[in-house]
């Protein structure tokens, strides 16, 4: 008998059918109860996967694979398995989990997706980051992204990945993915383009990291307190001057561009927008997760 | 004009560190050790021009590790009387250098190119800005002359200039003044 892990994929509104981080909440909650028995994650209600959902799914599967031998994924037909294949998902998990999808057939019709700026990538150390940044920068340059956009995307990815490599030490390290869309995915149905960056690690989380510094006791009373504090300039676990600037600065870049940065760890989630910061209590996430939305302003076509 | 002191330029993008893309503290540390080495190769009083113009992207972690920590060590006197000047145009990339220096309550002299008019990156306390400007306008000036120019007494003037020298923004030397006296003189480093 397999334990079924259900997802919460919304069936209405702008995020209908989208696998987001939030849609994995019930699965994470149920996963903590798993004690070695076979587990099945049911993705059949999913129509569309965004990087946050992909990194979240990777973290969930790592969490499950550490707890039981037999983990399987039930996928809907058509688009979702093809997308996962293009995002290198099966290259990372193919040997470790079972699936109803015909992965070999997918590999045969594998095509490049121009919107994919970074396939799902697993990394463990700071040393791996410059290589990741060089590669995505080249892709962005080839696709005509302006310097300012490349800087925003690359520095967000490098700072958040560096945090994950430094604080997110876990058996599986961290996952990242970046995808560009010719429409706005996050929230409202505005016109425009958007780049989504997601990074998930399985480390101890923000509150634990910050509370190692005794002088932050008051600021780390809850997960949300710790997340809000971590987003301030100059706040870091070690408390050394000069540390803890990266996250605050990249949150500022996202907010100023009209996008957002969402930081999730433990039972907290804080999202930074241009004019406000929202905190919410959410089901526990075992690690730290960051999702950044960077809208693209339309590029003026050069006169011919 | 000040007497000729040694100067050397270090092009960050030219080294074997990451070309146009400078990210992570780890890369920052590697660049910092190369800069420290170049700084210590200079005779005392020399200026190292750190040229970041070929760099497209410098994240905060890199900027703090390579330049913020370097500036803090210059300010703590770790490299003797050797100075640091940033060669960079006024562009977005400076924000991360500035943010690091602000966190550390430090500043650096910046020029668009070697020989161009100097500007400040980071934080110089308000009451020191006039003093810094007067020294740069003069090129080289004794404490007495500077005090007169700013309408300060010699001690107050000396305190301000000493603070600027400690921040690594000016060069300070002892001059023998006739008859028999010794006093400080200050020089611009770029």
């Amino acid at each position: 008998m397999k334990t079924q892990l259900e997802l919460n994929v919304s069936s209405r509104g702008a995020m209908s059918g989208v696998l987001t981080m939030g849609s994995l909440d019930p699965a994470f909650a149920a996963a903590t109860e798993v004690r070695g028995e076979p587990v099945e994650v049911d993705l059949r209600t999913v129509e569309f996967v965004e990087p946050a959902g992909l990194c979240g799914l990777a973290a969930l599967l790592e969490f499950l694979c550490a707890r039981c031998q037999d983990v399987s994924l039930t996928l809907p037909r058509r688009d979702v398995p093809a997308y996962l294949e293009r995002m290198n998902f099966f290259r990372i998990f193919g040997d470790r989990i079972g699936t109803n999808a015909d992965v070999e057939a997918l590999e045969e019709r594998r095509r490049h997706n121009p919107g994919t700026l970074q396939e799902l990538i697993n990394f463990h150390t700071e040393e791996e980051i410059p290589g990741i940044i060089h590669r995505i920068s080249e892709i962005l340059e080839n696709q005509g992204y302006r310097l300012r956009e490349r800087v925003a995307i690359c520095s967000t990815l490098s700072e958040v990945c560096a945090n994950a490599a430094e604080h997110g030490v876990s058996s599986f390290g961290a996952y990242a993915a970046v995808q560009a869309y010719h429409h706005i995915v996050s929230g409202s149905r505005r016109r425009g383009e958007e780049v989504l960056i997601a990074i998930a690690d399985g480390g101890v989380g923000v509150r634990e990291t910050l509370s190692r510094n005794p002088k932050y006791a008051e600021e780390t009373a809850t997960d949300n307190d710790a997340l809000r504090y971590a987003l301030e300039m100059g706040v870091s676990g070690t408390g050394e001057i000069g540390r803890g600037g990266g996250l605050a600065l990249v949150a500022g870049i996202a907010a100023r561009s009209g996008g957002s940065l969402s930081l999730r760890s433990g039972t907290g989630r804080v999202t930074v927008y241009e004019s406000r910061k929202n905190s919410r209590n959410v089901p526990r996430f075992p690690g730290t997760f960051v999702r950044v939305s960077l809208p693209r302003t339309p590029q003026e076509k050069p006169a011919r | 004009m000040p007497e000729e002191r040694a100067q050397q330029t270090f092009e960050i993008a030219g080294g074997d560190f990451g070309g146009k893309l400078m990210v992570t503290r780890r890369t920052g540390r590697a660049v910092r050790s190369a800069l420290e080495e170049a700084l210590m190769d200079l005779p005392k009083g020399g200026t190292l021009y750190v040229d970041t113009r070929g760099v497209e992207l410098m994240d905060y972690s890199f900027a703090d590790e390579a330049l913020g920590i370097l500036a803090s060590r210059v300010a703590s006197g770790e490299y003797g009387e050797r100075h640091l000047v940033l060669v960079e145009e006024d562009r977005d990339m400076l924000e991360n250098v500035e943010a690091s220096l602000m966190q550390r309550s430090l500043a650096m002299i910046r020029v668009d190119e070697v020989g161009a008019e100097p500007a400040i990156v980071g934080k110089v306390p308000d009451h020191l800005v006039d003093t810094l400007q007067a020294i740069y306008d003069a090129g080289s000036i004794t404490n007495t002359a500077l005090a007169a120019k700013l309408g300060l007494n010699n001690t107050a003037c000396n305190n301000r200039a000493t603070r600027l020298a400690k921040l690594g923004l000016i060069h300070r030397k002892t001059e023998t003044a006739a008859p028999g006296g010794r006093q400080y003189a200050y020089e611009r480093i770029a």
Side-chain angles (χ1 to χ4, degrees):
Chain A
M1 186 61 202
K2 284 195 175 190
T3 299
Q4 294 271 340
L5 300 190
E6 304 293 329
L7 305 183
N8 176 24
V9 177
S10 70
S11 55
R12 274 179 296 182
M15 302 306 273
S16 167
V18 182
L19 182 72
T20 61
M21 187 67 209
S23 28
L24 294 159
D25 286 345
F28 273 110
T32 56
E33 307 294 322
V34 169
R35 300 278 182 275
E37 73 273 22
V39 173
E40 182 184 347
V41 182
D42 188 351
L43 256 63
R44 278 175 298 182
T45 49
V46 174
E47 291 163 23
F48 183 88
V49 180
E50 65 146 307
L54 185 61
C55 290
L57 180 63
L60 173 69
L61 293 174
E62 291 284 359
F63 191 80
L64 290 171
C65 288
R67 277 163 187 73
C68 54
Q69 295 281 318
D70 181 356
V71 179
S72 61
L73 199 58
T74 311
L75 294 166
R77 291 176 192 280
R78 297 158 41 128
D79 297 351
V80 170
Y83 178 74
L84 292 178
E85 168 57 22
R86 286 202 303 271
M87 291 302 274
N88 284 350
F89 178 84
F90 295 110
R91 223 180 263 183
I92 295 173
F93 287 101
D95 296 340
R96 287 189 283 161
I97 60 164
T99 174
N100 60 332
D102 183 354
V103 178
E104 275 175 32
L106 290 169
E107 277 169 2
E108 278 165 26
R109 56 178 196 144
R110 188 181 169 88
R111 268 170 306 162
H112 179 65
N113 176 353
T116 300
L117 301 176
Q118 174 64 62
E119 292 87 0
L120 184 66
I121 186 171
N122 179 235
F123 63 96
H124 289 81
T125 64
E126 198 189 4
E127 208 174 332
E128 299 167 65
I129 298 169
I132 297 173
I133 300 302
H134 274 84
R135 186 173 164 274
I136 189 169
S137 174
E138 199 180 315
I139 293 171
L140 292 169
E141 202 167 349
N142 290 339
Q143 294 193 11
Y145 280 73
R146 286 163 290 176
L147 177 62
R148 185 184 281 259
E149 297 175 315
R150 298 207 310 269
V151 166
I153 295 165
C154 291
S155 48
T156 301
L157 191 60
S158 70
E159 293 288 7
V160 180
C161 285
N163 281 343
E166 187 181 348
H167 308 298
V169 183
S170 70
S171 55
F172 71 80
Y175 285 96
V178 186
Q179 179 82 38
Y181 297 97
H182 289 292
H183 58 279
I184 299 283
V185 180
S186 311
S188 64
R189 292 196 181 273
R190 284 171 291 151
R191 287 173 65 86
E193 299 185 16
E194 182 177 17
V195 173
L196 288 183
I197 302 167
I199 294 113
D201 72 54
V204 295
V206 174
R207 185 170 168 223
E208 173 76 23
T209 301
L210 286 185
S211 56
R212 284 174 188 162
N213 190 334
K215 71 176 183 185
Y216 294 157
E218 212 166 288
E219 290 84 357
T220 54
T222 67
D223 280 315
N224 270 318
D225 288 344
L227 294 180
R228 290 180 89 95
Y229 197 53
L231 285 160
E232 283 179 25
M233 192 68 199
V235 172
S236 74
T238 63
E240 286 167 86
I241 296 175
R243 289 250 162 188
L247 191 61
L249 287 165
V250 299
I253 293 177
R256 278 197 308 275
S257 74
S260 62
L261 180 144
S262 195
L263 175 61
R264 183 170 170 173
S265 175
T267 58
R269 191 187 81 184
V270 175
T271 306
V272 183
Y273 300 96
E274 190 167 17
S275 52
R276 65 186 199 282
K277 261 187 214 171
N278 285 357
S279 303
R280 259 181 73 181
N281 287 316
V282 289
R284 175 169 300 280
F285 176 72
T288 304
F289 169 78
V290 180
R291 175 190 189 272
V292 182
S293 148
L294 294 168
R296 288 191 76 191
T297 44
Q299 184 156 11
E300 284 166 36
K301 292 245 160 68
R304 279 170 193 258
Chain B
M1 275 308 285
E3 63 188 80
E4 283 297 307
R5 292 196 310 274
Q7 63 177 62
Q8 184 73 46
T9 302
F10 190 108
E11 279 182 44
I12 296 219
D16 193 17
F17 304 108
K20 299 185 293 182
L21 306 172
M22 295 290 172
V23 294
T24 74
R25 289 193 175 268
R26 190 173 183 276
T27 312
R29 273 193 294 279
V31 168
R32 192 180 71 228
S33 2
L35 290 172
E36 283 176 324
E37 206 171 293
L39 202 53
M40 291 312 286
D41 278 347
L42 285 170
K44 279 196 172 183
T47 295
L48 182 68
Y49 286 90
V50 180
D51 189 344
T52 55
R53 286 174 300 178
V55 178
E56 273 190 359
L57 159 69
M58 197 188 267
D59 70 3
Y60 174 83
S61 295
F62 174 89
D64 184 62
E65 198 69 41
L67 299 172
I69 294 181
L70 192 65
S72 82
R73 291 187 178 172
V74 166
S76 66
E78 226 168 277
Y79 312 117
E81 288 160 15
R82 294 175 178 86
H83 313 293
L84 209 55
V85 172
L86 187 66
V87 187
E88 181 55 78
E89 282 140 32
D90 188 7
R91 59 176 171 131
D92 290 354
M93 206 186 70
L94 275 180
E95 281 173 23
N96 284 331
V97 180
E98 183 124 45
S100 158
L101 294 171
M102 297 287 251
Q103 282 294 300
R104 297 175 173 274
S105 302
L106 292 170
M108 276 176 87
I109 297 291
R110 174 186 72 81
V111 291
D112 281 354
E113 56 187 315
V114 177
E117 267 315 290
I120 295 166
V121 200
K123 179 77 187 151
V124 175
D126 288 342
H127 70 286
L128 297 179
V129 172
D130 289 349
T131 312
L132 183 65
Q133 189 62 52
I135 294 166
Y136 273 77
D137 288 346
S140 173
I141 191 167
T142 64
N143 189 58
T144 316
L146 182 64
K149 202 169 165 184
L150 295 169
L152 295 170
N153 66 46
N154 281 355
T155 310
C157 182
N158 179 45
N159 288 344
R160 289 187 186 187
T162 300
R163 184 83 194 92
L164 288 170
K166 289 229 165 113
L167 276 169
L169 302 176
I170 61 167
H171 180 68
R172 186 178 71 167
K173 60 178 186 177
T174 312
E175 252 181 23
T176 316
R182 287 160 69 85
Q183 69 165 331
Y184 285 128
Y186 314 112
E187 289 177 356
R188 52 195 280 174
I189 57 168

